[in-house]
Amino acid sequence: MSALFEPLTLRSLTIPNRIWLSPMCMYSAASEGPETGVATDFHLAHLGSRAAGGAGLVMVEATGVTPEGRISPWDLGLWNERQQEGLARVAALIARHGAVPAIQLAHAGRKAATDKPGRGGAPLTAEQGAWRPVGPSALAFDPEHQVPAELTEAQIAAVVEDFAAAARRALAAGFQVVEVHGAHGYLVHEFLSPVSNHRTDGYGGDFAGRSRLAREVATAVRAVWPADLPVFFRVSATDWLPDAPSWTVEESVLLAKELQAIGVDLVDVSTGGNVPHAKITGEPGYQVPFAERIRRESGLPVNAVGLITDAAQAEAIVAEGRADAVMLGRELLRDPYWPLHAARELGVPRNWPAQYGFAVGPRG
């Protein structure tokens, strides 16, 4: 039997295999008027095809919990009922193809109000509709980005409730897994890291202060999410700044233990994003050791992500206990049917969608 194709049960939810679609921003939501932040037909085609292609869990991209929490004007949102209705169609289609519908809830913090990456990804100008980003401290991500407004404690409390409200809408839309985005230099990660958090109140300073927002958001989301369904948390395990005060894998392990006590069921382990031009070693599976360490030292299930490209590599990661699942990004962009091809390579019987049987034949 293949470890990669063994089901994984978290709480009462059984995910049919360990190959999951990583949340990746598509910058394809409606960007104006009452449809702002609403999923389009593109999202149905994009996410539905990955579910039909055999992914066990399909996670919707970073979805803004507030308008100012979007990375760009073309991000998905989940702060109103119209956005909920659009995402309900997506969740239903994913489930209809046998995958678990999941969604990542996010606030971009100081990295908000940028253009699409395909147009350079630069911070928007006022003429282009830029809004004022917010953050833990009045520190810009880089010289090109705006200096964010430092959040007050009352505003932080509102952000926590925004995450909880978005989680309620995600549940009503039919999602079975919700993930808090605490990585890649966005708001929750900004609070975690001393690089971006220079506060001197209860949300800054030592690990307990810097991790307070992460714990409060996780607690609020867990409180509104059903007890029989899992909550995930994505973390950047390191800022990749070994010679300066920064967020580290050691603190990521501590955070995982805190999250486990709160009721988080899995840590989605990535790295980086909070420091421009960080020196990252981008070799195959380069983030897997971070996932492995967090799993080993915290006891929480984890998934690994980052340059996982072939079936044998993915199988080994799970079979050797380095992670409980793998998330694929670029590979599933290139090939929506990667899981079915991997099954064939590993000798695991899998049924292709009946509509494609003439193309696949007995090899499938």
Side-chain angles (χ1 to χ4, degrees), residues 180-184 186-194 206-219 231-239 246-270 290 293-295 297-302:
V180 175
H181 197 349
H184 298 163
Y186 299 125
L187 186 67
V188 176
H189 184 186
E190 291 165 18
F191 270 84
L192 290 170
S193 175
D206 60 9
F207 169 81
R210 288 182 282 109
S211 66
R212 181 177 170 184
L213 176 63
R215 290 183 282 109
E216 289 182 348
V217 168
T219 299
V231 172
F232 293 1
F233 189 103
R234 175 165 270 196
V235 65
S236 278
T238 176
D239 283 336
S246 62
W247 183 250
T248 65
V249 66
E250 289 79 14
E251 288 189 315
S252 295
V253 170
L254 293 176
L255 178 63
K257 293 177 180 179
E258 299 274 1
L259 295 173
Q260 185 175 42
I262 289 167
V264 170
D265 301 281
L266 179 140
V267 177
D268 176 3
V269 183
S270 188
F290 298 101
R293 180 170 176 181
I294 291 171
R295 183 180 192 267
E297 296 185 17
S298 74
L300 256 181
V302 303

Side-chain angles (χ1 to χ4, degrees), residues 286-335:
Y286 69 103
Q287 295 178 143
V288 175
F290 298 101
E292 182 179 13
R293 180 170 176 181
I294 291 171
R295 183 180 192 267
R296 181 180 66 248
E297 296 185 17
S298 74
L300 256 181
V302 303
N303 70 256
V305 65
L307 290 182
I308 299 169
T309 59
D310 65 70
Q313 176 196 19
E315 171 72 16
I317 290 167
V318 177
E320 294 168 5
R322 305 183 73 191
D324 298 274
V326 294
M327 272 191 167
L328 301 186
R330 291 177 177 87
E331 286 303 306
L332 277 170
L333 290 182
R334 286 187 276 262
D335 179 7

Side-chain angles (χ1 to χ4, degrees), residues 110 135-139 189-198 274:
R110 67 179 185 167
S137 303
L139 298 168
H189 184 186
E190 291 165 18
F191 270 84
L192 290 170
S193 175
V195 172
S196 44
N197 183 349
H198 291 188
N274 198 36

